[in-house]
């Protein structure tokens, strides 16, 4: 069996590692945020995941997808705008297809 001192020094090394990596600090911030939350979320784990996700360095793949979505939204809005203009133009040449009121 390993001596209690060896286990202690291993624990101390791990604590320093967590401190250096910033994980201890980040976890502390999230736990403090959870503690100060007036309405505790039903899932503390989801709260943790959400807050860790918010402070985690961005995954480049996610960043690329986010840019693509933003581009698609812009393109969609442009096409919608164009569609609206074309419908208005078309309406000038065609009588409206609405049902006649009072018939």
């Amino acid at each position: 069996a390993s001596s209690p001192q060896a286990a202690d020094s291993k624990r101390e090394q791990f604590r320093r590692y967590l401190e250096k990596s910033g994980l201890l600090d980040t976890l502390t911030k999230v736990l403090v945020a959870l503690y100060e939350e007036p309405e505790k979320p039903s899932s503390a784990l989801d709260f943790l995941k959400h807050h860790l996700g918010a402070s985690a360095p961005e995954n480049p793949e996610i960043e690329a997808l986010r840019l693509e979505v933003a581009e698609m939204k812009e393109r969609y809005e442009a096409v919608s705008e164009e569609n609206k203009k074309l419908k208005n133009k078309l309406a000038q040449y065609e009588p409206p297809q609405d049902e006649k009121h009072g018939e």
Side-chain angles (χ1 to χ4, degrees):
S2 62
S3 68
Q5 273 114 359
D8 277 354
S9 80
K10 227 178 180 172
R11 226 179 266 133
E12 186 56 32
Q13 278 178 332
F14 187 62
R15 194 188 61 75
R16 277 201 298 267
Y17 160 74
L18 290 178
E19 240 170 42
K20 216 164 69 179
S21 68
L23 183 63
L24 213 55
D25 195 38
T26 303
L27 278 175
T28 303
K29 282 181 187 157
V30 174
L31 291 172
V32 166
L34 180 58
Y35 177 76
E36 290 174 346
E37 194 68 30
E39 308 219 349
K40 300 287 178 266
S42 53
S43 168
L45 194 58
D46 283 349
F47 181 90
L48 197 76
K49 284 179 185 169
H50 174 78
H51 278 71
L52 284 177
S55 64
E58 193 60 82
N59 177 336
E61 229 172 86
I62 293 174
E63 187 52 38
L65 286 173
R66 199 169 279 156
L67 286 171
E68 198 177 328
V69 167
E71 248 173 62
M72 294 290 186
K73 276 185 185 168
E74 271 180 38
R75 209 175 295 166
Y76 169 78
E77 281 165 20
V79 167
S80 288
E81 192 56 40
E82 185 183 12
N83 190 19
K84 204 159 62 176
K85 284 178 185 165
L86 289 173
K87 277 183 176 174
N88 288 339
K89 228 177 226 178
L90 194 60
Q92 295 169 1
Y93 301 104
E94 283 183 2
Q97 297 299 308
D98 299 344
E99 290 173 30
K100 304 279 179 282
H101 294 294
E103 278 183 19

